[in-house]
Amino acid sequence: MSVRWGLIGASTIAKQFMINAIRAQKDGEISAVMSSNPERAKTYAAENNIPLAVSTLDDLLGADIDAVYISTTNELHLEQALAAIKAGKHVLCEKPLALNSTDARTMVAAAKEAGVVLGTNHHLRNAGAHHAMRDAISAGRIGKPIAARVFHAVYLPENLQGWRITRPEAGGGVVLDITVHDADTLRFVLGDDPIEISAFTQSAGMAGSGLEDGAMCIWRFGSGIIAQSHEGFTTKFADTGFEVHGSEGSLIAKNVMTQKPVGSVLLRTAKGEEELSFDREDLYARSLRQFHAAMRGEGQPSATGEDGVWSLASAEAALLSGKSGKAVAIEPKLGSAK
Ligand code: NDP
């Protein structure tokens, strides 16, 4: 039996990655796409070989579909997810799950109540590089983890220089866009939850309307690990990377905060240096594979709804810290998702 997907949102991310990721599954097919604009829906469906184009949520949810993938702008996720859950559809939702963690918790509770799967599309925890880092840490290869550094300041491509830098009401800004990913990747790789964050945010010339286009955050984790992360839209020439430093070794990963299965992970200890090998499976295809399994009752999505609450609660705390100039506690108000 195929899993029939309905796409909510005629978006760039669906076109660039998710349509292929769904079709890469043996049992994945795309039945319908919804855009708020009927003409756009038709054009998008034709360009991407999708049989049905609709322009209302009711029409999408009334179609023959098992699951929806939500990739509209962020302010729409809550209402669309709740409607899909009410219609008994499984939901893979883009990050941030909503505009605030209270709404994200509402989505998690609704999915639980309805008995449908809710996943958050945090792609980075599906990267072979991050699995290799997490495995090395849990195998004790760097001893006791002490500190982490995340380099995730990029240049927002021109075709995406829209709502992210102009529309606060749509959930624009680099913190809701990239800090959420860093929160999730740190949690996944370290196997630990953040408890406190201190952030400086900036508007370095790209974002308007009071939105931030750069952030530097300092994180404290439950076990005592401290971390720093740098997110940005405006740095054209920076590399991405992720380092974790422990009592007996360091992991130094380069070019791994990206959408593609690329980059390298170096383990450095008293014995010398070793390049860790890892699988190069497409990040989004792995996300879909695990989501399909979760729909069959086998395990959970790679990032659950609870993981989405954690990342959003972290981003919320970062934004509050940026405004108040004080460190802020991260309170997802959930049990630990680990
Ligand atoms: P887009 O700007 O491409 O799409 C968002 C919405 O904008 C679409 O739903 C569509 O509305 C409208 N839109 C898109 N292109 C056009 C166009 N050419 N003309 C008119 N309207 C257009 O956003 P992204 O794909 O970058 O992001 C969508 C969501 O996915 C966000 O929540 C974002 O945070 C998330 N995301 C996640 C990533 C990940 O790796 N996990 C990576 C990138 C984004 P309509 O559907 O009504 O036509």
Side-chain angles (χ1 to χ4, degrees), residues 27-321:
D27 56 349
E29 73 182 65
I30 302 171
S31 301
V33 60
M34 186 206 108
S35 161
S36 57
N37 175 323
E39 277 313 306
R40 226 179 103 61
K42 268 192 219 142
T43 311
Y44 194 93
E47 282 171 1
N48 295 289
N49 211 9
I50 299 171
L52 180 65
V54 298
S55 59
T56 70
L57 197 51
D58 280 350
D59 285 346
L60 185 94
L61 296 175
D64 251 350
I65 55 169
D66 308 297
V68 299
Y69 165 61
I70 301 177
S71 63
T72 46
T73 48
N74 303 328
E75 85 285 14
L76 301 174
H77 296 177
L78 170 72
E79 183 197 334
Q80 293 169 338
L82 291 181
I85 290 167
K86 197 167 165 206
K89 312 298 178 196
H90 301 286
V91 176
L92 179 57
C93 186
E94 269 307 340
K95 43 48 68 170
L97 280 186
L99 294 184
N100 60 68
S101 59
T102 305
D103 287 348
R105 279 193 297 277
T106 302
M107 291 160 70
V108 169
K112 200 169 172 193
E113 170 86 20
V116 298
V117 177
L118 171 65
T120 310
N121 204 29
H122 278 307
H123 62 294
L124 287 163
R125 62 163 66 206
N126 295 296
H130 295 132
H131 280 259
M133 293 176 82
R134 178 181 162 102
D135 292 348
I137 292 168
S138 62
R141 298 194 73 189
I142 62 165
K144 181 176 162 10
I146 295 167
R149 297 199 280 235
V150 179
F151 309 90
H152 201 169
V154 296
Y155 188 73
L156 186 66
E158 269 170 35
N159 65 314
L160 295 183
Q161 290 179 23
W163 59 270
R164 280 180 177 77
I165 54 170
T166 56
R167 292 188 56 213
E169 71 283 6
V174 77
V175 171
L176 287 181
D177 202 48
I178 305 186
T179 309
V180 284
H181 279 314
D182 292 347
D184 188 68
T185 313
L186 279 161
R187 285 183 68 238
F188 178 75
V189 169
L190 299 174
D192 198 0
D193 292 324
I195 55 173
E196 187 180 12
I197 193 165
S198 195
F200 279 178
T201 56
Q202 68 178 168
S203 218
M206 183 187 281
S209 311
L211 286 169
E212 79 293 342
D213 53 26
M216 283 205 184
C217 305
I218 303 172
W219 311 65
R220 188 189 304 283
F221 283 75
S223 66
I225 297 172
I226 52 174
Q228 65 186 49
S229 67
H230 180 197
E231 296 86 22
F233 286 156
T234 61
T235 49
K236 277 191 179 148
F237 305 103
D239 289 329
T240 74
F242 190 170
E243 300 174 357
V244 184
H245 303 283
S247 56
E248 310 299 327
S250 287
L251 288 163
I252 298 155
K254 296 194 168 152
N255 194 22
V256 294
M257 304 307 287
T258 159
Q259 294 176 290
K260 302 224 166 111
V262 294
S264 59
V265 182
L266 179 81
L267 171 65
R268 185 182 294 147
T269 66
K271 288 191 202 137
E273 292 189 341
E274 180 190 339
E275 281 289 342
L276 301 186
S277 63
F278 52 86
D279 75 68
R280 304 277 169 171
E281 182 177 0
D282 180 84
L283 283 60
Y284 298 92
R286 192 198 291 253
S287 168
L288 256 294
R289 181 157 55 76
Q290 218 162 309
F291 194 90
H292 280 197
M295 284 176 63
R296 295 192 300 270
E298 298 161 19
Q300 295 198 312
S302 59
T304 61
E306 283 88 347
D307 291 319
V309 173
W310 266 102
S311 62
L312 184 47
S314 305
E316 234 169 30
L319 285 171
L320 186 57
S321 172

